[in-house]
Amino acid sequence: MKKRTDVLTPYMLGIFLLLLTGCPITRLRAQVFPDRIWHRASEEESKRWERKKTDAFREYLTDSTKITGLMIVHRGKVVFEFGDVEEVSYIASCRKSVLSMLYGRYVENGTIRLDKTVKELEIDDVEGILPIEQTATVKDIISARSGIFHPEGYPGGMQEYAPERGSVKPGTYWLYSNWDFNVAGYIFEKETGTNIYDEVERQLADPLHMQDWDRSLQHKEGNTAISRYLAYPMWFSTRDMARLGLLMLNKGTWKDTRVISESWVDEMLAERTAYTELNHNVPNFRNSGINFGYGYMWWLWQDVRDKRYEGAYSAKGAMGQNITVYPAIETVLAFKTKAAYGRRNTSEVRLRIVQKVAKLYDMP
């Protein structure tokens, strides 16, 4: 039977309608995924990552940073590696973005209600929770907008910029506070009846075939004399962090498996705080070179001028832990600085790295 050539396939029809309406065509998401071992990009596949630029970047990492492991993945294949990408170490505040990924299935099946209040959850703490603070919701907490400025029992927040307790209504003020993030972990376990680390293994490590995940390394920490809510530090390798970024780039799909719903990925990355408010509330973010907004425990690149940065977002941790996704160039960056070495990268260096990586790519 002669094959018809005058029939539009659904894909062709979609392209036709987009062209007809003048709407932008979204880039196809990466369709290559690692098995147990990552795939390396061929010379042809790496041609837009100019060798001279990547060589200079390697020199920069060696001479000007304390980075211990870094990986760049383009369309699902490794185009650049630096240092020890297998070493498992502390990922600092990147843990918060990982927790956000875990929330999705339980929010969508109704186990976690984002409108549930601190009062309904019976949350109290060492210094007590004020009546106005009791009205904060789970949504406020995972957006860093709880308005609860109780001392945090695990360092890493920005409470030096906090207003007076009780002076703001929950949901109206952004502050990066580990009290919020640690309580977000408590709420997750209380409402689901599960353990965060077991859920990382079940929801992420197993389906993504992580190479280096070690459940025995994961344990909670915190000073319960200050706050009863413990932090949930996490230990990952650079190459397993890159798997998390690739999952996000593909809107929650891994090969043929739906790991996180696309709607929850969109929810995590929806603006909860614009960069203008963030820069106002925390002055040291101003003039950093990148304007960050905030979603559900993910940092959103905003007000960008380079097309390669459009739609980018990051998980960021102290000393130099980072997962950044650049959808416009179908690229994932992961890098680490081992905390046990007692060395750290300044915030300026960390920002410079995420900017430099995108600029290694020759945008068509």
Side-chain angles (χ1 to χ4, degrees):
M1 182 181 292
K2 185 178 179 181
K3 186 178 180 180
R4 291 186 64 185
T5 58
D6 59 340
V7 177
L8 285 175
T9 66
Y11 175 79
M12 293 167 62
L13 180 60
I15 296 294
F16 173 76
L17 290 173
L18 286 167
L19 291 172
L20 185 66
T21 60
C23 295
I25 299 174
T26 302
R27 285 178 172 269
L28 294 176
R29 295 192 293 273
Q31 297 301 314
V32 177
F33 296 87
D35 297 312
R36 190 68 179 173
I37 306 298
W38 281 89
H39 304 289
R40 306 284 163 176
S42 67
E43 187 174 337
E44 174 64 21
E45 291 167 328
S46 303
K47 64 183 181 181
R48 291 198 178 277
W49 300 84
E50 187 182 334
R51 183 63 181 270
K52 288 182 180 179
K53 289 182 180 180
T54 56
D55 285 349
F57 181 59
R58 188 178 300 277
E59 289 181 12
Y60 168 76
L61 293 173
T62 302
D63 297 339
S64 304
T65 80
K66 304 295 192 299
I67 296 299
T68 53
L70 182 146
M71 179 182 284
I72 302 173
V73 177
H74 181 232
R75 296 179 180 169
K77 293 187 178 182
V78 179
V79 295
F80 183 91
E81 270 188 16
F82 174 85
D84 188 345
V85 299
E86 302 176 25
E87 183 177 52
V88 175
S89 60
Y90 173 69
I91 66 169
S93 289
C94 292
R95 69 186 174 99
K96 299 156 189 175
S97 303
V98 177
L99 177 62
S100 182
M101 297 168 79
L102 301 181
Y103 255 78
R105 67 175 55 184
Y106 291 109
V107 171
E108 293 177 334
N109 68 18
T111 302
I112 297 176
R113 278 179 34 216
L114 294 183
D115 62 350
K116 204 167 186 178
T117 66
V118 163
K119 183 176 183 179
E120 291 174 308
L121 290 162
E122 300 181 331
I123 289 174
D124 200 358
D125 211 342
V126 173
E127 295 188 6
I129 302 297
L130 301 176
I132 189 173
E133 296 172 336
Q134 292 176 357
T135 66
T137 64
V138 177
K139 180 178 180 179
D140 296 331
I141 288 168
I142 66 174
S143 306
R145 303 186 67 85
S146 75
I148 301 174
F149 307 129
H150 188 285
E152 52 194 20
Y154 188 81
M158 301 177 183
Q159 288 201 342
E160 64 270 29
Y161 299 108
E164 182 181 350
R165 285 191 67 184
S167 64
V168 302
K169 182 179 178 182
T172 66
Y173 193 94
W174 182 88
L175 183 76
Y176 190 84
S177 166
N178 268 357
W179 190 90
D180 278 4
F181 303 126
N182 297 340
V183 170
Y186 167 80
I187 291 169
F188 178 84
E189 294 191 334
K190 174 183 171 66
E191 296 298 276
T192 66
T194 64
N195 176 279
I196 287 173
Y197 301 128
D198 291 342
E199 285 293 294
V200 171
E201 185 164 275
R202 185 169 75 93
Q203 290 196 45
L204 300 171
D206 286 346
L208 273 55
H209 306 293
M210 289 186 178
Q211 292 167 267
D212 309 303
W213 168 257
D214 186 342
R215 173 66 179 84
S216 69
L217 296 176
Q218 319 297 324
H219 59 271
K220 295 175 185 156
E221 297 178 1
N223 185 344
T224 54
I226 297 174
S227 172
R228 65 179 62 170
Y229 301 105
L230 296 174
Y232 41 92
M234 295 180 188
W235 285 259
F236 279 89
S237 67
T238 305
R239 62 187 182 181
D240 283 347
M241 290 167 68
R243 288 177 188 258
L244 296 175
L246 187 60
L247 177 66
M248 292 293 290
L249 175 63
N250 283 277
K251 294 282 191 175
T253 295
W254 191 265
K255 297 185 178 179
D256 297 324
T257 302
R258 172 57 67 184
V259 177
I260 304 172
S261 75
E262 183 168 353
S263 61
W264 182 250
V265 174
D266 290 341
E267 282 292 299
M268 285 189 282
L269 303 179
E271 178 192 290
R272 310 295 165 180
T273 302
Y275 76 92
T276 49
E277 180 183 352
L278 193 151
N279 290 351
H280 176 269
N281 293 0
V282 183
N284 67 357
F285 274 101
R286 297 172 190 165
N287 304 315
S288 67
I290 299 176
N291 283 310
F292 289 109
Y294 207 69
Y296 286 157
M297 296 188 275
W298 282 88
W299 299 88
L300 315 177
W301 295 38
Q302 297 186 331
D303 190 37
V304 298
R305 292 167 178 79
D306 189 318
K307 289 185 178 180
R308 291 167 290 197
Y309 299 164
E310 289 180 358
Y313 50 93
S314 300
K316 301 195 298 176
M319 296 166 287
Q321 331 298 328
N322 192 285
I323 304 169
T324 291
V325 180
Y326 309 86
I329 57 174
E330 300 170 281
T331 295
V332 171
L333 164 68
F335 62 83
K336 299 280 298 298
T337 298
K338 187 173 179 178
Y341 293 160
R343 299 182 299 174
R344 64 172 53 237
N345 298 278
T346 65
S347 57
E348 290 78 13
V349 166
R350 287 175 251 162
L351 286 166
R352 200 167 296 131
I353 289 171
V354 296
Q355 290 173 300
K356 280 178 175 289
V357 165
K359 290 179 179 180
L360 297 176
Y361 183 73
D362 183 17
M363 190 100 171

